[in-house]
Amino acid sequence: MYVYFNGSVIKKEEVLISPFDHGFLYGLGLFETFRIYDGHPFLLDDHLARLNDGLTQLNIQAQFSRETILDAIQQLLAKNGITHANIRLNVSAGVGEIGLQTDSYTSPNIMLFARPMEPAGDELQEKEAVWLRVKRNTPEGEVRLKSHHYLNNLLAKQEIKHKVNCEGIFLTEGNYIAEGIVSNVFWVKNHTLYTPSVDTGILNGITRQFILQLAQIHQLDIQQGFFEKVSLLEADEVFVTNSIQEIVPISRIDKKSFPGKQGVVATQLHKDYRNYSSFLWSRKELKGELEC
């Protein structure tokens, strides 16, 4: 496999990173994962906007444009001979002295990894879910960044072991619904779409934001807030989202069954998702596109 590393596409075995990189020493780095549909990076502008904002907060001097990253993606896909892929864009702070640094990081390490995927299908793929014993930790700052600090997610993944078709759902310390290990959580009751507020400390997922905008267009009532488990367990349907797996209906949580991939709202949102995944750069284009 070839990777993009600091401006060059090289074999993965050739990538060398100093142990003094503060991404390694202190977890100071950010990443974005997004999906390539027949060569198109879906919602790339939104991913880059979140990444650029986070880099500013971490005092890492790097900002990325669509043109720069698209060029890197095209080089990477061509070298690996793929058109449908899962991309991870990783920015690590770079080398520094041992100790916490307050000065700006001026030479970050930039990497892109591409993993081949099958072309996206029209059929929804459902999963089961469980409530996690591990609680969702609070963000390190005002909002949760998509950072290298992933221990909470790793502990949760170890809790559910190797259950491929299962997602674990975090609760906060106050026992409010938070998010999945690698997903945001939604449920529907009486034409209202519910999802935890970002004030619970969850990651404001790019797919989460896209789904909320689709829901507005379909004139669903939307409730974002602090919800206990009973709210979800009384739902008509439940689904989770992320940028790689898209929309994943939940068929069961513990002993409670749900419609899974037969859910009406999940099915409609997935249809919309498929319609736009091959050309949309940002959710901001969505409203105008639907009105055409």
Side-chain angles (χ1 to χ4, degrees), residues 35-39 83-85 115-123 125 244 246 270 274 277:
R35 191 162 169 174
I36 305 294
Y37 296 85
D38 196 21
T83 56
H84 299 271
R115 292 190 298 175
M117 296 189 72
E118 293 295 324
D122 293 328
E123 184 177 352
Q125 302 298 315
I244 305 305
E246 307 175 335
H270 182 257
R274 184 61 61 249
S277 59

mmCIF file of all heavy atoms in Angstrom, residues 35-39 83-85 115-123 125 244 246 270 274 277:
data_model
loop_
_atom_site.group_PDB
_atom_site.id
_atom_site.type_symbol
_atom_site.label_atom_id
_atom_site.label_comp_id
_atom_site.label_asym_id
_atom_site.label_seq_id
_atom_site.Cartn_x
_atom_site.Cartn_y
_atom_site.Cartn_z
ATOM 1 N N ARG A 35 -15.143 9.234 2.758
ATOM 2 C CA ARG A 35 -15.269 8.168 1.781
ATOM 3 C C ARG A 35 -15.188 8.716 0.359
ATOM 4 O O ARG A 35 -15.692 9.816 0.077
ATOM 5 C CB ARG A 35 -16.596 7.439 1.991
ATOM 6 C CG ARG A 35 -16.737 6.141 1.220
ATOM 7 C CD ARG A 35 -17.837 5.283 1.809
ATOM 8 N NE ARG A 35 -18.160 4.147 0.931
ATOM 9 C CZ ARG A 35 -19.008 3.181 1.259
ATOM 10 N NH1 ARG A 35 -19.608 3.199 2.432
ATOM 11 N NH2 ARG A 35 -19.247 2.182 0.419
ATOM 12 N N ILE A 36 -14.548 7.946 -0.497
ATOM 13 C CA ILE A 36 -14.428 8.288 -1.908
ATOM 14 C C ILE A 36 -15.419 7.446 -2.695
ATOM 15 O O ILE A 36 -15.406 6.215 -2.620
ATOM 16 C CB ILE A 36 -13.010 8.008 -2.438
ATOM 17 C CG1 ILE A 36 -11.952 8.727 -1.590
ATOM 18 C CG2 ILE A 36 -12.906 8.404 -3.902
ATOM 19 C CD1 ILE A 36 -12.001 10.227 -1.664
ATOM 20 N N TYR A 37 -16.297 8.121 -3.442
ATOM 21 C CA TYR A 37 -17.285 7.445 -4.276
ATOM 22 C C TYR A 37 -16.916 7.659 -5.740
ATOM 23 O O TYR A 37 -17.055 8.772 -6.253
ATOM 24 C CB TYR A 37 -18.684 7.992 -4.004
ATOM 25 C CG TYR A 37 -19.184 7.754 -2.602
ATOM 26 C CD1 TYR A 37 -18.862 8.638 -1.567
ATOM 27 C CD2 TYR A 37 -19.988 6.653 -2.297
ATOM 28 C CE1 TYR A 37 -19.320 8.428 -0.270
ATOM 29 C CE2 TYR A 37 -20.455 6.432 -1.012
ATOM 30 C CZ TYR A 37 -20.118 7.324 -0.008
ATOM 31 O OH TYR A 37 -20.575 7.120 1.282
ATOM 32 N N ASP A 38 -16.412 6.611 -6.373
ATOM 33 C CA ASP A 38 -16.018 6.687 -7.780
ATOM 34 C C ASP A 38 -15.130 7.906 -8.030
ATOM 35 O O ASP A 38 -15.325 8.660 -8.988
ATOM 36 C CB ASP A 38 -17.254 6.728 -8.678
ATOM 37 C CG ASP A 38 -16.916 6.406 -10.130
ATOM 38 O OD1 ASP A 38 -15.875 5.782 -10.366
ATOM 39 O OD2 ASP A 38 -17.698 6.801 -11.019
ATOM 40 N N GLY A 39 -14.168 8.094 -7.158
ATOM 41 C CA GLY A 39 -13.207 9.185 -7.292
ATOM 42 C C GLY A 39 -13.591 10.475 -6.610
ATOM 43 O O GLY A 39 -12.762 11.394 -6.511
ATOM 44 N N THR A 83 -10.621 3.464 -6.988
ATOM 45 C CA THR A 83 -11.522 4.605 -7.191
ATOM 46 C C THR A 83 -12.555 4.735 -6.083
ATOM 47 O O THR A 83 -13.156 5.789 -5.909
ATOM 48 C CB THR A 83 -12.253 4.505 -8.541
ATOM 49 O OG1 THR A 83 -12.943 3.252 -8.610
ATOM 50 C CG2 THR A 83 -11.273 4.600 -9.697
ATOM 51 N N HIS A 84 -12.813 3.648 -5.337
ATOM 52 C CA HIS A 84 -13.718 3.678 -4.192
ATOM 53 C C HIS A 84 -12.876 3.384 -2.957
ATOM 54 O O HIS A 84 -12.216 2.343 -2.880
ATOM 55 C CB HIS A 84 -14.813 2.627 -4.331
ATOM 56 C CG HIS A 84 -15.680 2.823 -5.534
ATOM 57 N ND1 HIS A 84 -16.821 3.613 -5.515
ATOM 58 C CD2 HIS A 84 -15.576 2.357 -6.812
ATOM 59 C CE1 HIS A 84 -17.377 3.610 -6.716
ATOM 60 N NE2 HIS A 84 -16.639 2.852 -7.521
ATOM 61 N N ALA A 85 -12.885 4.304 -1.989
ATOM 62 C CA ALA A 85 -11.936 4.157 -0.888
ATOM 63 C C ALA A 85 -12.416 4.824 0.390
ATOM 64 O O ALA A 85 -13.311 5.672 0.383
ATOM 65 C CB ALA A 85 -10.572 4.740 -1.284
ATOM 66 N N ARG A 115 -7.810 3.075 1.945
ATOM 67 C CA ARG A 115 -8.164 1.656 1.984
ATOM 68 C C ARG A 115 -9.269 1.411 0.964
ATOM 69 O O ARG A 115 -10.277 2.123 0.959
ATOM 70 C CB ARG A 115 -8.646 1.244 3.379
ATOM 71 C CG ARG A 115 -7.560 1.283 4.438
ATOM 72 C CD ARG A 115 -8.028 0.650 5.733
ATOM 73 N NE ARG A 115 -9.158 1.382 6.297
ATOM 74 C CZ ARG A 115 -9.842 0.996 7.377
ATOM 75 N NH1 ARG A 115 -9.527 -0.135 7.978
ATOM 76 N NH2 ARG A 115 -10.847 1.718 7.819
ATOM 77 N N PRO A 116 -9.107 0.423 0.092
ATOM 78 C CA PRO A 116 -10.132 0.172 -0.930
ATOM 79 C C PRO A 116 -11.446 -0.278 -0.316
ATOM 80 O O PRO A 116 -11.462 -0.958 0.713
ATOM 81 C CB PRO A 116 -9.511 -0.936 -1.787
ATOM 82 C CG PRO A 116 -8.508 -1.601 -0.902
ATOM 83 C CD PRO A 116 -7.980 -0.536 0.008
ATOM 84 N N MET A 117 -12.546 0.119 -0.948
ATOM 85 C CA MET A 117 -13.877 -0.284 -0.527
ATOM 86 C C MET A 117 -14.663 -0.732 -1.744
ATOM 87 O O MET A 117 -14.383 -0.325 -2.877
ATOM 88 C CB MET A 117 -14.619 0.866 0.172
ATOM 89 C CG MET A 117 -13.980 1.335 1.467
ATOM 90 S SD MET A 117 -15.049 2.498 2.362
ATOM 91 C CE MET A 117 -16.332 1.384 2.937
ATOM 92 N N GLU A 118 -15.676 -1.539 -1.504
ATOM 93 C CA GLU A 118 -16.599 -1.912 -2.574
ATOM 94 C C GLU A 118 -17.464 -0.707 -2.934
ATOM 95 O O GLU A 118 -17.721 0.158 -2.093
ATOM 96 C CB GLU A 118 -17.493 -3.069 -2.129
ATOM 97 C CG GLU A 118 -16.754 -4.379 -1.910
ATOM 98 C CD GLU A 118 -16.166 -4.931 -3.188
ATOM 99 O OE1 GLU A 118 -16.813 -4.784 -4.259
ATOM 100 O OE2 GLU A 118 -15.052 -5.497 -3.137
ATOM 101 N N PRO A 119 -17.913 -0.601 -4.183
ATOM 102 C CA PRO A 119 -18.844 0.483 -4.528
ATOM 103 C C PRO A 119 -20.056 0.473 -3.603
ATOM 104 O O PRO A 119 -20.532 -0.590 -3.201
ATOM 105 C CB PRO A 119 -19.243 0.157 -5.973
ATOM 106 C CG PRO A 119 -18.096 -0.643 -6.499
ATOM 107 C CD PRO A 119 -17.583 -1.447 -5.344
ATOM 108 N N ALA A 120 -20.531 1.656 -3.246
ATOM 109 C CA ALA A 120 -21.655 1.763 -2.317
ATOM 110 C C ALA A 120 -22.912 1.155 -2.923
ATOM 111 O O ALA A 120 -23.238 1.386 -4.093
ATOM 112 C CB ALA A 120 -21.902 3.226 -1.968
ATOM 113 N N GLY A 121 -23.616 0.377 -2.127
ATOM 114 C CA GLY A 121 -24.848 -0.253 -2.581
ATOM 115 C C GLY A 121 -26.082 0.515 -2.158
ATOM 116 O O GLY A 121 -26.018 1.447 -1.363
ATOM 117 N N ASP A 122 -27.221 0.097 -2.688
ATOM 118 C CA ASP A 122 -28.488 0.754 -2.373
ATOM 119 C C ASP A 122 -29.166 0.166 -1.139
ATOM 120 O O ASP A 122 -30.088 0.760 -0.592
ATOM 121 C CB ASP A 122 -29.447 0.643 -3.562
ATOM 122 C CG ASP A 122 -28.952 1.445 -4.760
ATOM 123 O OD1 ASP A 122 -28.300 2.478 -4.541
ATOM 124 O OD2 ASP A 122 -29.224 1.023 -5.898
ATOM 125 N N GLU A 123 -28.710 -1.005 -0.700
ATOM 126 C CA GLU A 123 -29.361 -1.657 0.431
ATOM 127 C C GLU A 123 -28.695 -1.257 1.747
ATOM 128 O O GLU A 123 -27.465 -1.258 1.865
ATOM 129 C CB GLU A 123 -29.305 -3.179 0.286
ATOM 130 C CG GLU A 123 -30.065 -3.918 1.389
ATOM 131 C CD GLU A 123 -30.074 -5.417 1.188
ATOM 132 O OE1 GLU A 123 -29.620 -5.875 0.122
ATOM 133 O OE2 GLU A 123 -30.534 -6.129 2.089
ATOM 134 N N GLN A 125 -27.389 -1.626 5.512
ATOM 135 C CA GLN A 125 -26.794 -2.701 6.298
ATOM 136 C C GLN A 125 -27.045 -2.405 7.770
ATOM 137 O O GLN A 125 -26.549 -1.410 8.301
ATOM 138 C CB GLN A 125 -25.290 -2.793 6.020
ATOM 139 C CG GLN A 125 -24.947 -3.035 4.551
ATOM 140 C CD GLN A 125 -25.498 -4.348 4.025
ATOM 141 O OE1 GLN A 125 -25.387 -5.388 4.681
ATOM 142 N NE2 GLN A 125 -26.098 -4.302 2.840
ATOM 143 N N ILE A 244 -18.002 6.714 6.944
ATOM 144 C CA ILE A 244 -17.609 5.527 6.200
ATOM 145 C C ILE A 244 -18.786 4.563 6.057
ATOM 146 O O ILE A 244 -19.080 4.060 4.977
ATOM 147 C CB ILE A 244 -16.418 4.817 6.869
ATOM 148 C CG1 ILE A 244 -15.242 5.799 7.055
ATOM 149 C CG2 ILE A 244 -15.978 3.606 6.059
ATOM 150 C CD1 ILE A 244 -14.786 6.484 5.788
ATOM 151 N N GLU A 246 -21.913 5.341 6.630
ATOM 152 C CA GLU A 246 -23.091 6.121 6.220
ATOM 153 C C GLU A 246 -24.203 6.028 7.269
ATOM 154 O O GLU A 246 -24.016 6.440 8.411
ATOM 155 C CB GLU A 246 -23.584 5.659 4.844
ATOM 156 C CG GLU A 246 -22.518 5.661 3.774
ATOM 157 C CD GLU A 246 -22.990 5.106 2.463
ATOM 158 O OE1 GLU A 246 -23.940 4.298 2.447
ATOM 159 O OE2 GLU A 246 -22.414 5.494 1.425
ATOM 160 N N HIS A 270 -31.241 7.430 3.594
ATOM 161 C CA HIS A 270 -30.216 6.689 2.867
ATOM 162 C C HIS A 270 -30.359 6.884 1.359
ATOM 163 O O HIS A 270 -29.354 6.991 0.630
ATOM 164 C CB HIS A 270 -30.301 5.203 3.216
ATOM 165 C CG HIS A 270 -29.256 4.369 2.540
ATOM 166 N ND1 HIS A 270 -29.534 3.581 1.446
ATOM 167 C CD2 HIS A 270 -27.929 4.216 2.792
ATOM 168 C CE1 HIS A 270 -28.419 2.974 1.056
ATOM 169 N NE2 HIS A 270 -27.446 3.338 1.856
ATOM 170 N N ARG A 274 -27.414 8.459 -0.957
ATOM 171 C CA ARG A 274 -26.877 7.832 -2.158
ATOM 172 C C ARG A 274 -26.963 8.763 -3.364
ATOM 173 O O ARG A 274 -26.073 8.785 -4.214
ATOM 174 C CB ARG A 274 -27.644 6.525 -2.441
ATOM 175 C CG ARG A 274 -27.125 5.716 -3.596
ATOM 176 C CD ARG A 274 -25.675 5.234 -3.421
ATOM 177 N NE ARG A 274 -25.534 4.379 -2.258
ATOM 178 C CZ ARG A 274 -24.860 4.733 -1.158
ATOM 179 N NH1 ARG A 274 -24.227 5.899 -1.076
ATOM 180 N NH2 ARG A 274 -24.771 3.920 -0.129
ATOM 181 N N SER A 277 -23.932 11.381 -2.836
ATOM 182 C CA SER A 277 -22.591 10.980 -2.402
ATOM 183 C C SER A 277 -21.540 11.057 -3.494
ATOM 184 O O SER A 277 -20.349 11.137 -3.203
ATOM 185 C CB SER A 277 -22.631 9.559 -1.821
ATOM 186 O OG SER A 277 -23.112 8.635 -2.774
#
